[in-house]
């Protein structure tokens, strides 16, 4: 029986590994529903894509392209759970960076479809300031966790908490602690040097820089 359990765990590991190996990065324009009618934040769009695809497609970042001048592009990998998706009237075209098995498997909320990234709450519970949406704290643990669990359900609440954790790690990564000199002296490290940036906003490093 123990051998059967080990074999089952190995089979599950191999299945997950093969699924991951078959994934690729895709850059596709976001549905205007997110920024216009839903006024969604990044976490809500990421959850919607997960729900629309049964958990097989991940939104990991955005590419914002200005419609003015030379059309400057800004790459935002995990811009944060509270990052506001820009409306089409803002003069910015927004593209999503997706991890998926193929382009056809990417499903977004279009006009006439049900938006799965946010469950509406009664306006009396929300109050006039936050009617129609819930707020996700950028730092775990989420305040009022039971309230979010009741509002969004266990699956969406768990995913929201996971996205919050990723956002916190992202913020820590932007201001990492200095490594101990003893660790540096041990050697065996890989250094990535980025030059030519004019400021912090221009400093972006992602898969876009390594995949042609």
């Amino acid at each position: 029986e123990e051998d059967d359990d080990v074999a089952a765990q190995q089979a599950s590991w191999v299945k997950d590994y093969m699924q991951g190996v078959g994934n690729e990065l895709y850059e596709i324009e976001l549905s205007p529903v997110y920024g216009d009618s839903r006024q969604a934040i990044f976490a809500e769009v990421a959850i919607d894509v997960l729900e629309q695809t049964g958990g097989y497609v991940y939104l990991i970042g955005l590419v914002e392209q200005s419609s003015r001048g030379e059309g400057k592009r800004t790459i935002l990998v995990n811009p944060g759970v509270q990052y506001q998706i820009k409306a089409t009237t803002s003069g910015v075209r927004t593209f999503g960076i997706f991890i998926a098995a193929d382009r056809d498997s990417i499903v977004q909320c279009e006009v006439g479809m049900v938006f799965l990234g946010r469950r509406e709450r009664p306006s009396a519970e929300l109050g006039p300031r936050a009617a129609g949406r819930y707020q996700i704290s950028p730092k775990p643990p989420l305040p009022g966790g039971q309230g979010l669990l009741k509002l969004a359900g266990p699956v969406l609440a768990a995913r929201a908490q996971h996205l919050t954790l990723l956002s916190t790690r992202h913020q820590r990564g932007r201001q990492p602690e200095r490594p101990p000199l003893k660790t540096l002296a041990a050697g065996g490290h890989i250094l990535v040097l980025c030059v030519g940036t004019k400021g912090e906003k221009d400093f972006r490093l992602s898969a876009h820089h390594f995949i042609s």
Side-chain angles (χ1 to χ4, degrees):
E1 183 177 352
E2 183 176 350
D3 292 339
D4 293 339
D5 292 339
V6 173
Q9 292 177 0
Q10 290 178 341
S12 176
W13 177 86
V14 171
K15 180 180 178 181
D16 293 340
Y17 174 77
M18 295 305 296
Q19 179 182 335
V21 169
N23 286 334
E24 297 178 333
L25 284 176
Y26 294 91
E27 180 182 318
I28 299 176
E29 188 165 7
L30 279 189
S31 167
V33 170
Y34 296 131
D36 293 347
S37 60
R38 285 296 175 175
Q39 299 178 352
I41 57 177
F42 179 77
E44 294 172 337
V45 179
I47 291 174
D48 181 74
V49 172
L50 278 171
E51 290 294 323
Q52 300 285 1
T53 60
Y56 285 100
V57 178
Y58 295 84
L59 175 69
I60 63 171
L62 305 171
V63 178
E64 296 180 343
Q65 181 175 0
S66 174
S67 59
R68 304 182 182 90
E70 299 178 356
K72 180 181 178 181
R73 289 164 54 90
T74 303
I75 302 173
L76 304 168
V77 176
N78 184 21
V81 294
Q82 294 282 5
Y83 189 84
Q84 186 71 47
I85 304 300
K86 291 181 173 58
T88 55
T89 55
S90 66
V92 174
R93 294 180 64 190
T94 304
F95 299 80
I97 303 175
F98 298 91
I99 295 180
D102 54 68
R103 191 181 187 91
D104 293 337
S105 64
I106 300 174
V107 180
Q108 304 182 61
C109 182
E110 303 292 349
V111 176
M113 295 176 60
V114 177
F115 180 55
L116 303 177
R118 178 199 313 149
R119 289 191 178 183
E120 310 296 346
R121 290 190 286 180
S123 57
E125 178 184 349
L126 283 165
R129 185 173 62 88
R133 62 186 303 177
Y134 59 86
Q135 299 297 323
I136 301 177
S137 172
K139 296 182 179 180
L142 288 173
Q146 291 300 321
L148 179 60
L149 180 63
K150 180 180 179 181
L151 164 68
V155 176
L156 291 183
R159 289 176 177 171
Q161 291 177 337
H162 181 62
L163 288 172
T164 301
L165 176 61
L166 292 179
S167 176
T168 302
R169 290 177 178 174
H170 170 70
Q171 295 298 328
R172 290 177 179 174
R174 295 184 63 184
Q175 296 179 339
E177 297 180 1
R178 185 172 182 176
L181 294 178
K182 184 177 180 180
T183 302
L184 294 177
H189 309 293
I190 298 177
L191 299 179
V192 179
L193 178 63
C194 299
V195 298
T197 60
K198 298 179 180 179
E200 182 183 357
K201 292 184 178 180
D202 295 327
F203 185 77
R204 300 285 178 182
L205 185 64
S206 65
H208 175 80
H209 298 85
F210 300 96
I211 301 176
S212 59

